[in-house]
Amino acid sequence: MSTIDPSVVERLLAVRDQAYTPYSEHPVGALIETAAGRRYAGCNVEIANYKGLCAEAGAIAAMVANGERRIDTLYVIGPAEHLCTPCGDCRQRMREFASPATRIHVLDGRGQWLKSYTMDALLPDSFGPENIGKPSPMHD
Ligand SMILES: [Zn+2]
């Protein structure tokens, strides 16, 4: 993929610009598309003890709060030209609601596509619900 739906880019830029990042000054936006076609956005929210919330986590929380449990596609936008991939904690959080084929697209700060991944590529041989005998979308 080299072009992203303009409405996705617009929403990513808008939510990224709402980020609260007085400490890192590294605003990030995330947007989830579900199989039902709905979109949920999140931005990073820092606090003074540095234990802030990532944009991906905010988007996942919004999705779950609205009764959905499955990430079809996830987009991440950072503040600049460098690749702003999900952190390790977010990869595990995303994996809870993703399938191996779930796509993750990373955009630069202007909204240009940089790179795409599958969930399985971002977190290979991952630990999940099935490892403790629970159902998991990773194996539907
Ligand atoms: Zn993160």
Side-chain angles (χ1 to χ4, degrees):
M1 177 181 289
S2 58
T3 58
I4 305 287
D5 181 332
S7 69
V8 167
V9 174
E10 185 179 343
R11 186 121 184 243
L12 278 166
L13 289 166
V15 74
R16 193 263 327 267
D17 290 347
Q18 293 300 323
Y20 178 73
T21 60
Y23 310 108
S24 73
E25 298 180 359
H26 189 269
V28 179
L31 184 70
I32 289 171
E33 287 180 337
T34 66
R38 296 199 185 93
R39 291 175 176 169
Y40 300 99
C43 61
N44 51 339
V45 179
E46 297 177 349
I47 53 178
N49 70 0
Y50 287 10
K51 294 179 181 173
L53 185 71
C54 290
E56 299 91 324
I60 289 169
M63 176 188 76
V64 171
N66 280 278
E68 295 206 60
R69 300 286 188 270
R70 179 65 72 86
I71 300 169
D72 184 67
T73 306
L74 187 144
Y75 303 88
V76 182
I77 187 169
E81 67 280 353
H82 62 273
L83 199 60
C84 184
T85 51
C87 75
D89 185 57
C90 284
R91 293 179 192 203
Q92 185 70 44
R93 195 179 304 274
M94 289 156 52
R95 189 259 193 237
E96 185 80 16
F97 304 101
S99 77
T102 292
R103 302 290 294 179
I104 296 94
H105 303 293
V106 181
L107 289 69
D108 74 7
R110 293 175 299 124
Q112 298 296 309
W113 173 86
L114 288 176
K115 198 163 180 180
S116 297
Y117 307 85
T118 62
M119 187 69 245
D120 195 48
L122 278 185
L123 198 65
D125 300 325
S126 60
F127 183 89
E130 67 278 8
N131 294 96
I132 53 174
K134 301 292 185 183
S136 167
M138 290 291 273
H139 297 284
D140 280 357

